[in-house]
Amino acid sequence: MNRKRSSSATLGDVAQLAGVSSATASKALNSRGEVAPATRRRVLKAAEELAFQPNALARGLTSGRTRMIGLITDELGGRFAIPILLGVENALGNEQMSVLLCDARGDAIRRRHYISTLVARQVDGLIILGDRNDIRPSLTSEIPVPVAYVYGESDAPDDLSFLADDEGGARLAGEHLVSLGRRRVGHITGEQTYRAARDRASGLQAILEEQGLPLAGGAPLYGDWSQRWGRQAASILLGRAPDVDAIFCGSDQIATGVVEGLRDLGRRVPEDVAIVGYDNWEVFAAECRPPLTTVDLNLQQLGATAVEHLFGVLNGDQLHGVIRQPGRLVIRESTGPPAATEGPSPHR
Amino acid sequence: MNRKRSSSATLGDVAQLAGVSSATASKALNSRGEVAPATRRRVLKAAEELAFQPNALARGLTSGRTRMIGLITDELGGRFAIPILLGVENALGNEQMSVLLCDARGDAIRRRHYISTLVARQVDGLIILGDRNDIRPSLTSEIPVPVAYVYGESDAPDDLSFLADDEGGARLAGEHLVSLGRRRVGHITGEQTYRAARDRASGLQAILEEQGLPLAGGAPLYGDWSQRWGRQAASILLGRAPDVDAIFCGSDQIATGVVEGLRDLGRRVPEDVAIVGYDNWEVFAAECRPPLTTVDLNLQQLGATAVEHLFGVLNGDQLHGVIRQPGRLVIRESTGPPAATEGPSPHR
DNA sequence: CTGAAAGCGCTTACAG
DNA sequence: CTGAAAGCGCTTACAG
C-alpha cells in the first residue's frame, strides 16, 4: 500500500506519524519507562505502518551493545568448524544476535588483523575457533571484550575454553566394545602430535585397564588421518595381534580404511572384528560397508554451549577454565557380539 | 608502555593529543581535504600512540556505508556452501569488508527474518547462497540494497545470479574421455529433480553427439546422490551396455560407489572402464582407489566472482542476468587410455 | 506520562 | 590549511 521509500523509516518518522516526540516513541517501542497505553498503541501502529526497523548502528552507538559476536576460525574448510559454527549461529540467532565471520586461515597476522577489525566494529564478544582441540597461546590481552575459545584451549588460566571431551568419547567406545564381549581391542589412530589422538588413546587404555584387559597389539598405532593409513594399519595390527576382535579407530576416515583392509585380509566386520570410528562424519560413517558405529562429538552442541556461557560473561558472570562437551555413541552395524564359533566361520 | 584503558581511544582523544580539532584529525586520518603535512604527521603519530581504531558504528552512521555484507545460506552444512563462503570471505577481506553470516536452514520464515535483521544492521549488500544451483523465487523486492544470488538463480530477470557451469563441466569430462579414445561412455548421476543433474547429463550428451557417439546404456541413470546408488547403478549399466568403456558420474560420491561396484564385477579402473567424477570433493576423489579424475566447480572462485560483481553494483554498475563460473578438469588415475588389448586382459 | 536536550563517535559542508 | 557546527538515528537522564 505504502509507497516504497529508498531509505527506510526512522524513529522520527514513527514519532511524527504517531504525534509524539521521538523520545516517547523510543520508550514505547522498547517497553521502557512509563508510557500511556493509548500512546504506546499509537506508536506501535505507526511503526507497523512504516515497517519501522530501528537502525542497529545508531542503537549500538548509544547503547554500547551491538548484539554482534565476532567469530574467528582457523580453517573453515576443515570438517570441525562447520558444525560448531552452526551451533554458534543457531544459539546466537535465538538471542537476536548476529555473527561476524572471519577466517584467519591459520595465519597469525591475519588473525590479529581480524581481531582489531572486529573490535573496531564493536562486537560484544569474540569466539576463537581452534582447528584441533589443542592448547594455543591466549589472545585475550589484545581483546577488550569477553572471549570464548572453542575446540582449542587457551593457555591462560583466566580464559574460558570449550573442548570436545576426547577421553570421555574414547571411554564410550571402549565400554561399548567391552560390553559386547570383545576382549582383544586394538587402537588405530591419527597423528600423535594431535592432542585429540593422545586423549582418545588414553581414554581407551583407561577403560581397558579398568577391565583388566590389555591393548591388542601392545600400543596404539599412530599415523595419518587417512583411509590409506587405516588400510595399512589394519594389516600391521593383524600381524602383531592376529586374534584382535575389535578396533577402536581415531576417525571415521581411518575406520573406513581399516574396514577395507580387514575385508582384503578376509576378516568379517563385525563378526570377526568389531569396529568403532570417531567423529560421526556421516558421509563416511553411514556409507561405510558396514555402516560405522562411531562417537559423535556433539560439536553443534559445543558451539551452543560456548555461546550460552559467553552470554553469561556478557551479563557479568565470572567464568574461566575448561568446559568439556561430552560426546555420544552412535551405534550402527560395524559392532555387535563376536561370532558364536571361534575364528572366521562360514556364517552365510 | 601506555596504561590500558577500558574503553579505547576516540577521534577526540587523538585530536586532543595532536593539538587539533577532531575535524582536522578526521581529515588527516582519511587522507581527505588539504591538511598540512606537519599536521598530518602529528595526527598520525597521536593515533599510533593511542592505538586509535575508528568506531565502525559511528563511521557507518555518518558515511552511510558499513562495509558489511550479509550472507544468507540455506544449508551451511551442505558441502557446497563452505567453499563458496571461503571465496566470499576472502574477497571481502581484501576490501576491508566483513561478512555477517546467517543460516536460514531452508526455512522461508527464518530467511525473511534474517533479511530484515541484516537490513536493520545496514549491510551494504546481500548475498543469497542457494543449495543446489537451481532456480528460486526472487527476494529482491524485500531488500533495499544490492543482492547477488549465488549457487542458485533468482527467477527475476533483473536480478544478478552466479551459477556453477554444469553443462560446461560435463563437457570437460566428456571431451576428456573421448580424447582418451573412449567410445562407449555411460552416465550415472543423482536425482533428476536437480537441475545440476540434468545440466550435467545434457552437457555430456551434447559432446557425445558432436562426436557422433551414442550414450552407453541409452539414457542417463538417475538416482540418489550416494555411493550406494553408484554401486547399484554400475551393475545396472553393465547389464545394459556390457561393452561400456567409460562412465561419467554426477558426483565423486557416486563415482566412488561406481568404482567399488565395477571392482566387485571384475572390471578394472581405468584399464577397462575410465571413470570421471564431479565436485573434486577431496576426501572422496583423492582417497578413492584409484583416485578420481573429476570436475572441480571452482566454487571458491564462484564466491569471489560474486563479490567482485557485487562491488561493481555498489559502485553504480548496472548488472543483471546469470553469470556462469567455469569448472576445471582435475586429472587423476581413474582415467587413461583403454587397455591395449580387447576386453579385460591380465595386465599385471 | 511526555518532551527538550545532550550525547554516542564520527564526517562533511561551510566559514574563516 | 583549520575548526565550529550540524547531522547520522537512536537512547537516556532530567524537567515539567
Side-chain angles (χ1 to χ4, degrees), chain B residues 197-208:
Chain B
R198 299 192 302 274
D199 285 355
R200 291 166 198 176
S202 58
L204 175 68
Q205 286 179 289
I207 193 83
L208 291 179

Side-chain angles (χ1 to χ4, degrees), chain A residues 114-152:
Chain A
Y114 276 136
I115 287 176
S116 74
T117 299
L118 291 170
V119 168
R121 290 195 185 281
Q122 314 295 122
V123 293
D124 293 336
L126 221 51
I127 293 177
I128 310 267
L129 211 60
D131 60 349
R132 41 151 91 190
N133 215 35
D134 229 315
I135 293 205
R136 316 193 331 169
S138 175
L139 297 163
T140 308
S141 64
E142 325 173 11
I143 308 176
V145 294
V147 186
Y149 295 82
V150 183
Y151 206 71

Side-chain angles (χ1 to χ4, degrees), chain B residues 10-11 26 55 59 62:
Chain B
T10 74
L11 182 65
S26 171
N55 182 319
R59 190 173 249 188
T62 50

